[in-house]
Amino acid sequence: MDRVKNIIPNPVKEMIEDHLIKVLTAGTYTTFAKAIRETVSNSYDAGASKVDIIFEPKELLETTNASTTVIQIHDDGMGLDSADFWEKFVSIRKSKIPSKKDKTTGRYPIGQFGIGALAFLPFVQGLSVYSKKTGSEPVHGRIDALKVMETSGLSYADHITKNCELSLVSDAKWNDISNNATSGTIIRIDGINEDVYKYLLRGSPDFEEAGIFDKYANLTKGLKEIMWHLSTVLPLNYEYDEAGVYDSYKTALKSINPSISVQISSVTLMRRIYAQKGCKKYPFIYEDSKDKVKATGVIIANPSITKPKHANGIMLRLNNVGIGSFQFFGFKGHASAQTRITGEIHVEGLHDELENSRESFALYREKFSKLNEALMKALQKSVTAAADLSTKKSENRRAQEENRIANKITEIQKAGLEKAPISKGSGKRTSPTQKPNLKEQYGRKTADTFTDPIDMHYKIRSDHALFKKYRGISEKETLRTVLIAMKLAQLPEDSYQKVIKALIRLKEKK
Amino acid sequence: MTGQYSSPEKNKIRTALWDRAFNDYAKIEKGLIDDLRYFCMPSAECIYEKHLVANRKLTKRNIVSVEKDYDLSIPIREFLGGEGIHLEDSLENLTRQDKLLLFSPFDIVNLDFCGQAFVFSGQQYQQRWSAIEYFFKKNYEKRKSVFYLLLTIFGGRSSSVGKQFLLDKITQLNDITGLGKNPTSWKEDRLIQEVLPSIIVDMGLKHNYYTGSADIEGYRYRQTGHRCNMVAFYFKFRLLDPKLGSSTIEKNNLFNAALSYYQNDAKELTL
């Protein structure tokens, strides 16, 4: 039988009265995705090597509602005992010192404020935690999130203890719930608010999900967005990239902080370098011994637009954690070439240069400003390279297209159409050496009947025999080939003027 | 609680009855594992479900599980990993509210109840039968041509009304089959085991599903370390072909044919 007893909390050390509520409502954690990130960061700081986050599958999420939605987070970290629950889980500890390695975990802390799972409070209805620390009895804590978020006039410590419960659980129960884990923490969210529920289903309006976790049918758009965010910022392992950038630049991309494994709904998150085959790679090395700042990484100029579009830019990582999103830090170059840039840079020694939100570095701070200058130069170089690559690519493409058209023309000529003199201006056919055999060539019922391949709106009649015969790789190529074929066949001037017009309109559209 | 469901007896039931359903689905019905939708009420350890995923390559996305206990749901959700569907409520509530509709039809329905079924006093136990019947209804709505029902219930603790019901059923079965089985010396689990298939067959026919004695198999058993007897069954059901007819007479014939299971003595599990 489970032994359950209420634990009277010890006086909570270093709690800041009402600070938690203020922090939570001040917009520090403005999104649910960031709350998840903070919880995972906390697991990391607790020495976890694996974190599993389990959402309801899409099929269920679409049919359920906010109040019955359950989310679970499992980690294999050090866990909590009863004292830890009050002193760590439901309190804000002093800000962790990210520049100082934790002796127990051997890691530089990455969680902000030590707020951990409490970051969920603005978004959820109920929060429950099971945890076991090696050598201690497992505990079960329940937090009434809705009540905690209300102001009560009580001191923080009283407010929290009034709205939280803690009990011990038996080892047998812990073993059943945790699959016999020796230590770890399980957080269970029971019910989320309506906005978060809608977000989970639909994501943000400006988030483009194309190319992001496409092969997973059980993921909603919101979930993909969360996974995208976490896969770009958390300390994860790099996965294979088709351009082999990670393999070539392992040393430059190595961090002082180890990586952990994070799964969301059975999908393992990996960090990726969005380099394409044929890209140009620019290693980035920066060191300022006076300021004790280092930065190493790689900037990539892709041959075409970086995909997904959210990976366009450079990601700076501190302690192996992404700061903000992929961005250009104020750089503005050749617009089209800039869309081809991506990259990763690991920095050290810039902890003091972070803004409070930890979403960006403060450009007005000297150390970062110097690094930024070096970054601008590197970006200029890579954007120029991207522009060159793009030009070369266009030239190649044009040359290939000309080749294909030339081959088709040769075919047409071999088929027996002689090159007749082209009338100038009059639009009338000059005496041809051979009248075009429209019936034979284009399958018309009578030789004199010819239907324009372009309709009155300058759109291609795709079932027209000409287009069937001379279809190219692109609409432009097709039109150009058809135009030449019509000219060679001395088809009516006004017909191929229409084709020319269609070509012009195509160019204007682009 | 740990190890409660990993006894040799339970493992034998899984092999003899539950695996039979999966084998039949694959080999006789030529069903594809990717298409198989499986309904279950797993234990916290998800022993059988883990075996299905690991060894039979059952897709987690096609698992629909139910468990009403908050704590026990945690490891089940962890196992399903956000791919399978887990509903946290009693089966009786879920079926009463028709909450399984969107996930039906099911190819294999595994109702591994811990509790008794022949109490007949109060809503709770009648709802268990409604819950079983629900699966026939939902599968019929989607015209599921073949499905398997695996049913495990507690072989005892029937109320006096329930026990009398079972005895009356034995009399009825004796009349229909011409056999003269004498239940006087039977323990309750045997009584349940002899009667239950006739109830399920009848329920199936009501919803246009039929089975035959060759497609019914059951055992009574007691798990090592337990004091309670359980009875477990395998049924395979086919949708009644309209050509065969679904008139009362035809259904009666099918019912009588299925009752040939009663000719044999109900089996006790041996390891």
Side-chain angles (χ1 to χ4, degrees):
Chain A
M1 186 128 170
D2 290 344
R3 181 163 59 91
V4 171
K5 95 184 173 207
N6 273 328
I7 309 293
I8 311 293
N10 290 325
V12 178
K13 295 173 191 172
E14 293 180 44
M15 273 190 183
I16 304 160
E17 292 184 6
D18 294 326
H19 184 54
L20 172 67
I21 307 301
K22 283 179 187 155
V23 161
L24 291 173
T25 55
T28 307
Y29 293 102
T30 51
T31 70
F32 186 67
K34 287 177 188 169
I36 296 180
R37 185 185 90 188
E38 191 54 29
T39 303
V40 176
S41 300
N42 226 44
S43 297
Y44 181 91
D45 293 342
S49 61
K50 190 167 187 276
V51 181
D52 280 341
I53 305 167
I54 300 153
F55 288 86
E56 314 271 37
K58 186 177 178 185
E59 197 181 349
L60 183 57
L61 204 59
E62 286 171 345
T63 60
T64 187
N65 58 54
S67 61
T68 57
T69 299
V70 173
I71 302 167
Q72 284 181 197
I73 302 164
H74 298 240
D75 79 39
D76 62 352
M78 289 187 301
L80 307 162
D81 58 22
S82 47
D84 291 333
F85 177 80
W86 296 109
E87 293 171 24
K88 293 179 184 176
F89 196 79
V90 296
S91 76
I92 298 179
R93 293 186 294 157
K94 260 204 220 157
S95 289
K96 300 175 183 177
I97 307 172
S99 53
K100 203 172 160 193
K101 208 186 242 194
D102 183 296
K103 285 179 193 157
T104 321
T105 63
R107 298 171 179 180
Y108 293 88
I110 63 172
Q112 187 181 356
F113 304 136
I115 199 165
L118 292 188
F120 282 125
L121 289 183
F123 307 107
V124 306
Q125 295 173 19
L127 196 62
S128 184
V129 59
Y130 281 95
S131 192
K132 177 168 165 54
K133 195 169 182 175
T134 308
S136 300
E137 286 178 282
V139 297
H140 176 210
R142 280 188 195 257
I143 301 165
D144 188 332
L146 295 173
K147 291 236 164 79
V148 170
M149 291 301 294
E150 290 169 1
T151 49
S152 65
L154 298 172
S155 70
Y156 176 76
D158 288 342
H159 181 73
I160 276 290
T161 53
K162 190 179 166 198
N163 296 302
C164 298
E165 277 174 17
L166 182 71
S167 53
L168 297 177
V169 298
S170 64
D171 283 332
K173 186 162 202 172
W174 166 257
N175 287 337
D176 282 332
I177 290 170
S178 69
N179 284 313
N180 304 302
T182 50
S183 71
T185 300
I186 300 168
I187 293 169
R188 182 171 145 151
I189 291 168
D190 288 287
I192 50 181
N193 69 30
E194 275 301 322
D195 288 340
V196 175
Y197 178 69
K198 284 176 191 162
Y199 169 75
L200 279 184
L201 286 177
R202 298 176 212 148
S204 313
D206 58 350
F207 179 73
E208 272 182 32
E209 63 178 303
I212 297 176
F213 301 107
D214 279 344
K215 61 179 181 171
Y216 299 105
N218 62 312
L219 302 178
T220 58
K221 186 185 169 198
L223 208 48
K224 287 184 186 180
E225 188 175 342
I226 289 172
M227 290 165 73
W228 165 259
H229 171 69
L230 296 180
S231 69
T232 57
V233 301
L234 288 176
L236 305 172
N237 288 315
Y238 283 97
E239 68 170 334
Y240 165 80
D241 65 273
E242 60 178 15
V245 172
Y246 177 65
D247 283 339
S248 309
Y249 293 95
K250 265 187 192 145
T251 312
L253 293 169
K254 196 173 156 65
S255 169
I256 53 172
N257 240 356
S259 303
I260 62 167
S261 166
V262 178
Q263 272 198 337
I264 295 189
S265 289
S266 303
V267 177
T268 303
L269 298 188
M270 300 285 275
R271 189 182 287 169
R272 229 187 130 191
I273 305 224
Y274 295 91
Q276 299 158 7
K277 272 192 185 145
C279 67
K280 289 215 153 156
K281 305 150 201 168
Y282 296 92
F284 181 85
I285 301 170
Y286 173 89
E287 190 166 357
D288 186 323
S289 48
K290 182 178 155 241
D291 288 342
K292 293 187 186 156
V293 174
K294 258 200 230 178
T296 57
V298 59
I299 299 177
I300 290 137
N302 280 318
S304 53
I305 295 174
T306 298
K307 281 180 184 148
K309 78 162 201 183
H310 304 289
N312 179 217
I314 307 298
M315 177 62 83
L316 292 183
R317 299 190 186 278
L318 183 65
N319 283 358
N320 211 0
V321 171
I323 304 298
S325 53
F326 286 88
Q327 51 188 300
F328 285 97
F329 307 97
F331 175 83
K332 279 210 184 320
H334 186 288
S336 153
Q338 206 162 314
T339 61
R340 293 170 165 82
I341 302 297
T342 188
E344 297 256 320
I345 296 173
H346 288 259
V347 302
E348 290 175 45
L350 286 178
H351 297 283
D352 293 338
E353 314 293 285
L354 279 172
E355 291 186 335
N356 259 343
S357 65
R358 288 181 66 96
E359 294 299 312
S360 55
F361 288 103
L363 190 55
Y364 54 83
R365 296 191 70 104
E366 196 184 346
K367 287 185 195 177
F368 179 71
S369 177
K370 285 192 211 169
L371 168 64
N372 200 47
E373 220 178 289
L375 206 47
M376 293 298 108
K377 286 186 184 148
L379 278 168
Q380 182 60 62
K381 194 174 168 190
S382 50
V383 167
T384 307
D388 287 343
L389 264 177
S390 168
T391 309
K392 272 197 189 118
K393 202 178 169 196
S394 299
E395 281 169 2
N396 272 349
R397 215 178 329 164
R398 220 171 291 130
Q400 282 168 7
E401 189 179 291
E402 296 300 330
N403 228 28
R404 279 194 298 273
I405 293 172
N407 287 341
K408 284 226 170 81
I409 301 309
T410 310
E411 270 177 45
I412 295 166
Q413 286 172 331
K414 275 186 187 163
L417 292 171
E418 285 183 8
K419 196 175 171 183
I422 297 162
S423 67
K424 288 180 184 173
S426 68
K428 288 182 187 165
R429 197 177 283 152
T430 56
S431 328
T433 52
Q434 181 184 334
K435 205 170 177 182
N437 186 337
L438 294 173
K439 188 181 171 187
E440 198 181 295
Q441 291 294 319
Y442 308 116
R444 306 313 302 176
K445 283 191 179 159
T446 62
D448 292 333
T449 309
F450 177 73
T451 313
D452 276 333
I454 306 286
D455 67 22
M456 56 187 270
H457 302 292
Y458 299 99
K459 291 233 162 80
I460 291 174
R461 289 197 170 100
S462 53
D463 60 343
H464 196 284
L466 269 173
F467 289 113
K468 285 182 181 172
K469 191 164 177 163
Y470 298 118
R471 193 172 302 281
I473 279 181
S474 64
E475 199 178 337
K476 186 180 125 196
E477 187 180 308
T478 305
L479 282 167
R480 286 183 67 199
T481 314
V482 161
L483 186 66
I484 296 172
M486 287 172 79
K487 243 186 159 53
L488 286 173
Q490 296 181 59
L491 287 170
E493 174 83 25
D494 54 355
S495 285
Y496 63 70
Q497 287 297 337
K498 278 186 184 159
V499 178
I500 292 171
K501 192 97 189 196
L503 259 170
I504 293 169
R505 286 168 79 98
L506 191 66
K507 194 177 173 185
E508 282 169 1
K509 211 193 314 179
K510 283 190 177 164
Chain B
M1 189 176 158
T2 308
Q4 185 179 14
Y5 300 113
S6 59
S7 63
E9 293 80 13
K10 191 72 183 189
N11 287 338
K12 183 84 190 268
I13 290 293
R14 289 185 184 114
T15 317
L17 300 181
W18 300 4
D19 280 352
R20 182 180 168 182
F22 286 88
N23 289 339
D24 196 272
Y25 172 86
K27 291 177 186 160
I28 309 298
E29 299 302 322
K30 310 282 185 223
L32 297 174
I33 196 68
D34 281 349
D35 297 337
L36 194 160
R37 182 138 266 204
Y38 175 63
F39 178 88
C40 57
M41 298 157 66
S43 64
E45 298 152 299
C46 298
I47 297 171
Y48 192 63
E49 290 67 31
K50 284 178 182 169
H51 154 74
L52 290 175
V53 169
N55 301 317
R56 288 189 181 264
K57 309 298 175 205
L58 181 66
T59 314
K60 280 187 189 179
R61 273 202 304 280
N62 275 335
I63 298 176
V64 178
S65 71
V66 161
E67 168 53 61
K68 66 181 180 197
D69 188 88
Y70 181 95
D71 291 335
L72 297 180
S73 289
I74 292 175
I76 296 171
R77 280 181 202 280
E78 192 190 3
F79 162 69
L80 293 174
E83 291 184 89
I85 290 163
H86 181 73
L87 299 163
E88 203 169 306
D89 202 344
S90 71
L91 179 64
E92 289 82 353
N93 277 346
L94 290 167
T95 52
R96 192 164 37 86
Q97 294 165 53
D98 203 10
K99 289 212 170 147
L100 299 178
L101 169 66
L102 290 167
F103 314 116
S104 65
F106 299 97
D107 295 280
I108 299 178
V109 177
N110 191 345
L111 303 180
D112 191 7
F113 292 113
C114 300
Q116 57 271 48
F118 295 95
V119 174
F120 300 149
S121 62
Q123 283 276 308
Q124 186 186 359
Y125 298 98
Q126 286 178 333
Q127 278 184 35
R128 178 151 296 166
W129 289 105
S130 304
I132 298 169
E133 195 170 356
Y134 179 86
F135 289 95
F136 286 101
K137 266 192 220 164
K138 293 297 123 181
N139 275 358
Y140 180 69
E141 276 170 20
K142 308 266 171 84
R143 298 299 189 266
K144 186 86 196 148
S145 54
V146 173
F147 81 97
Y148 304 83
L149 174 65
L150 305 169
L151 183 59
T152 307
I153 60 165
F154 188 74
R157 273 201 245 130
S158 309
S159 64
S160 54
V161 171
K163 207 159 176 186
Q164 189 56 50
F165 169 82
L166 290 166
L167 289 167
D168 290 345
K169 274 285 181 198
I170 293 288
T171 308
Q172 190 185 55
L173 286 168
N174 281 341
D175 281 344
I176 295 170
T177 60
L179 294 167
K181 285 188 177 181
N182 185 352
T184 317
S185 62
W186 294 353
K187 286 188 183 158
E188 220 172 320
D189 54 351
R190 170 90 189 260
L191 196 56
I192 291 170
Q193 195 186 354
E194 295 276 2
V195 169
L196 191 135
S198 66
I199 299 173
I200 298 295
V201 168
D202 189 57
M203 190 184 279
L205 284 166
K206 199 166 132 193
H207 296 283
N208 298 301
Y209 281 100
Y210 72 97
T211 185
S213 59
D215 290 323
I216 300 173
E217 190 178 358
Y219 296 95
R220 61 186 183 277
Y221 65 97
R222 180 188 290 191
Q223 290 194 77
T224 307
H226 287 230
R227 289 179 298 172
C228 332
N229 295 346
M230 305 293 288
V231 292
F233 284 95
Y234 157 96
F235 298 93
K236 177 178 178 180
F237 284 99
R238 291 181 192 281
L239 186 65
L240 262 177
D241 187 335
K243 288 181 212 159
L244 277 183
S246 54
S247 71
T248 313
I249 296 173
E250 274 89 9
K251 281 188 179 179
N252 210 43
N253 290 341
L254 287 165
F255 178 75
N256 290 337
L259 289 193
S260 52
Y261 85 86
Y262 190 68
Q263 287 174 354
N264 304 313
D265 284 340
K267 290 185 279 190
E268 188 166 8
L269 185 77
T270 52
L271 292 177

